[in-house]
Amino acid sequence: MVRRPNDPEHSRFASLVLLLVALFSCLLVYAVVSTLLNPTVNPQDSSFESLESVAGIDFGEKKGECCRGIENLELWGAAVKWGSDFKFNSSVECCQACKAMCSGNDGPCLCDTWVFCGNKDACGSRFGECWLKKQKDTLSPDRQEAGQTVSWTSGIVFGKGEGIVEMETEYGTLHIKLFPDCAPYSVTYILELLTLRHCAGCQIYRAESRGQSWDPQGNHIKDASYGPPFALIQGILEAQGTPFKKIPMEACPTIRRGSVAWIGSGPEFFISLANHEEWKNSYTIFGSVLSEDMEIAEKIAQLPTKSDVWNNINVSVLQRPIPLVMRRMKKSLGDVNTNMKSE
């Protein structure tokens, strides 16, 4: 930023000017980050949620952000803890009780579903009931009821080696560990994509390498710029012919290498090739690419591109977009190494 020398006649206004500059700088940073990742954003486009709306809010995991569920939803399944004898004051406590049964290394989770009744008026004597359950198929959970008349809040927990889906490309398959406890609405949408016979329209269309700014582990190199290139691959997950509903902002920890996150409310998404602390807590992270598959993402980032300008920002767009297919994982990978903890 270019600054003008101070004018002696207006020195009495110096403090006010500095304050205004600081406020403007904060807004500018968030606006630039939004622009870097959204090819269609413009000041009149209400479809892209401004990062200003989340400025100053900590979306990290310190406040239990990764023990979330979906309201007005009752998931079914075999009960492993009966809610009539198992009560808590909050859905977070119910979720944590389920997680406590899913922390071992000796096989699948004993609990993968929690259902909590937290509306005092609607629940009556059942207020606080926490039902812990077990699904036959966590990628296709059994629903009992959903809608405004349902007083239950439900969530899913994936154990080690579970909740992994495949993003298939012609250059290899990216295995993505989903985080339903951090982003339940996002994961529900991804699971819906798995039920479709095709994902026409799903593709990766932007690719930018780490350049000279980040090392192979994704760490930023001292004194290097933050782009361009911006160390990411970007695409869209929207099946043609299927209506897309905006996804609410969910847990937004710091973007790490391998993070899979929405841009705004989706369906545009990106996979980060680096640790982006400079982006703060700006994007809903709904999964992470397994570390052993990041070489595929790096390969895509090296494909031929053409330069483009999105709202005065130079970006690199693939000469030929890469079609995507979302699939269930064919077999368990056992204990996996993800790049982000969900608890």
Side-chain angles (χ1 to χ4, degrees), residues 264-280:
S265 301
E268 284 80 15
F269 77 101
F270 68 92
I271 298 174
S272 180
L273 304 180
N275 303 324
H276 283 292
E277 287 87 354
E278 75 278 11
W279 290 351
K280 307 300 181 183

Side-chain angles (χ1 to χ4, degrees), residues 7-33:
D7 186 343
E9 284 188 3
H10 300 285
S11 59
R12 59 180 177 173
F13 299 110
S15 298
L16 178 60
V17 170
L18 288 174
L19 177 60
L20 292 175
V21 168
L23 290 174
F24 176 77
S25 298
C26 291
L27 294 176
L28 181 61
V29 168
Y30 279 106
V32 168
V33 171

Side-chain angles (χ1 to χ4, degrees), residues 274-312:
N275 303 324
H276 283 292
E277 287 87 354
E278 75 278 11
W279 290 351
K280 307 300 181 183
N281 308 110
S282 303
Y283 300 99
T284 293
I285 298 177
F286 59 88
S288 182
V289 175
L290 303 193
S291 58
E292 53 265 39
D293 290 342
M294 284 303 293
E295 62 182 26
I296 298 172
E298 295 279 4
K299 183 189 303 183
I300 293 173
Q302 300 296 329
L303 295 175
T305 60
K306 57 185 177 182
S307 299
D308 201 352
V309 178
W310 295 349
N311 296 330
N312 298 319

Side-chain angles (χ1 to χ4, degrees), residues 49-51 53-55 57-71 73 114 143 153-156 178-192 244-255 260-268 280-287 340 342:
E49 294 183 359
S50 172
L51 295 181
S53 64
V54 297
I57 300 177
D58 181 10
F59 283 93
E61 300 167 85
K62 297 179 181 179
K63 299 178 181 179
E65 287 294 324
C66 281
C67 231
R68 293 169 170 241
I70 296 179
E71 296 181 353
L73 170 66
W114 57 270
R143 294 191 177 201
T153 296
S154 298
I156 292 288
L178 299 176
F179 300 147
D181 47 348
C182 300
Y185 290 93
S186 300
V187 170
T188 296
Y189 175 72
I190 298 299
L191 297 185
E192 289 173 355
F244 177 82
K245 295 181 180 179
K246 290 183 179 181
I247 296 172
M249 185 70 78
E250 302 188 270
C252 301
T254 301
I255 297 293
V260 187
W262 296 120
I263 299 169
S265 301
E268 284 80 15
K280 307 300 181 183
N281 308 110
S282 303
Y283 300 99
T284 293
I285 298 177
F286 59 88
M340 171 189 148
S342 61

Side-chain angles (χ1 to χ4, degrees), residues 24-46:
F24 176 77
S25 298
C26 291
L27 294 176
L28 181 61
V29 168
Y30 279 106
V32 168
V33 171
S34 300
T35 301
L36 295 181
L37 295 173
N38 191 349
T40 59
V41 66
N42 62 67
Q44 287 75 40
D45 187 358
S46 60

Side-chain angles (χ1 to χ4, degrees), residues 11-247:
S11 59
R12 59 180 177 173
F13 299 110
S15 298
L16 178 60
V17 170
L18 288 174
L19 177 60
L20 292 175
V21 168
L23 290 174
F24 176 77
S25 298
C26 291
L27 294 176
L28 181 61
V29 168
Y30 279 106
V32 168
V33 171
S34 300
T35 301
L36 295 181
L37 295 173
N38 191 349
T40 59
V41 66
N42 62 67
Q44 287 75 40
D45 187 358
S46 60
S47 65
F48 184 78
E49 294 183 359
S50 172
L51 295 181
E52 294 175 11
S53 64
V54 297
I57 300 177
D58 181 10
F59 283 93
E61 300 167 85
K62 297 179 181 179
K63 299 178 181 179
E65 287 294 324
C66 281
C67 231
R68 293 169 170 241
I70 296 179
E71 296 181 353
N72 307 122
L73 170 66
E74 182 182 5
L75 292 177
W76 210 234
V80 295
K81 281 283 188 180
W82 289 76
S84 54
D85 303 317
F86 197 61
K87 294 189 176 184
F88 291 105
N89 292 320
S90 70
S91 61
V92 171
E93 293 175 289
C94 183
C95 166
Q96 290 173 339
C98 184
K99 282 189 173 185
M101 300 178 69
C102 191
S103 59
N105 298 314
D106 54 354
C109 296
L110 298 177
C111 169
D112 54 32
T113 306
W114 57 270
V115 182
F116 179 76
C117 202
N119 186 317
K120 288 185 178 180
D121 294 332
C123 295
S125 62
R126 306 194 72 174
F127 173 72
E129 286 191 7
C130 173
W131 291 78
L132 304 186
K133 303 180 179 183
K134 180 69 175 175
Q135 295 291 327
K136 293 181 179 179
D137 182 358
T138 52
L139 292 182
S140 182
D142 188 5
R143 294 191 177 201
Q144 174 71 358
E145 291 184 278
Q148 292 300 316
T149 60
V150 178
S151 57
W152 300 93
T153 296
S154 298
I156 292 288
V157 174
F158 289 146
K160 294 183 178 180
E162 299 177 325
I164 300 172
V165 297
E166 296 180 346
M167 180 181 287
E168 186 178 296
T169 79
E170 60 191 278
Y171 296 96
T173 298
L174 297 165
H175 291 87
I176 298 173
K177 171 78 171 183
L178 299 176
F179 300 147
D181 47 348
C182 300
Y185 290 93
S186 300
V187 170
T188 296
Y189 175 72
I190 298 299
L191 297 185
E192 289 173 355
L193 287 180
L194 299 182
T195 66
L196 302 179
R197 298 183 61 182
H198 61 80
C199 196
C202 298
Q203 60 179 311
I204 294 174
Y205 53 78
R206 177 186 177 189
E208 303 197 14
S209 69
R210 289 176 284 103
Q212 302 299 314
S213 298
W214 291 272
D215 66 20
Q217 289 71 46
N219 301 309
H220 186 251
I221 297 172
K222 185 177 180 180
D223 298 328
S225 71
Y226 287 97
F230 296 100
L232 57 84
I233 56 177
Q234 179 178 331
I236 185 169
L237 288 174
E238 181 180 18
Q240 293 178 356
T242 302
F244 177 82
K245 295 181 180 179
K246 290 183 179 181
I247 296 172

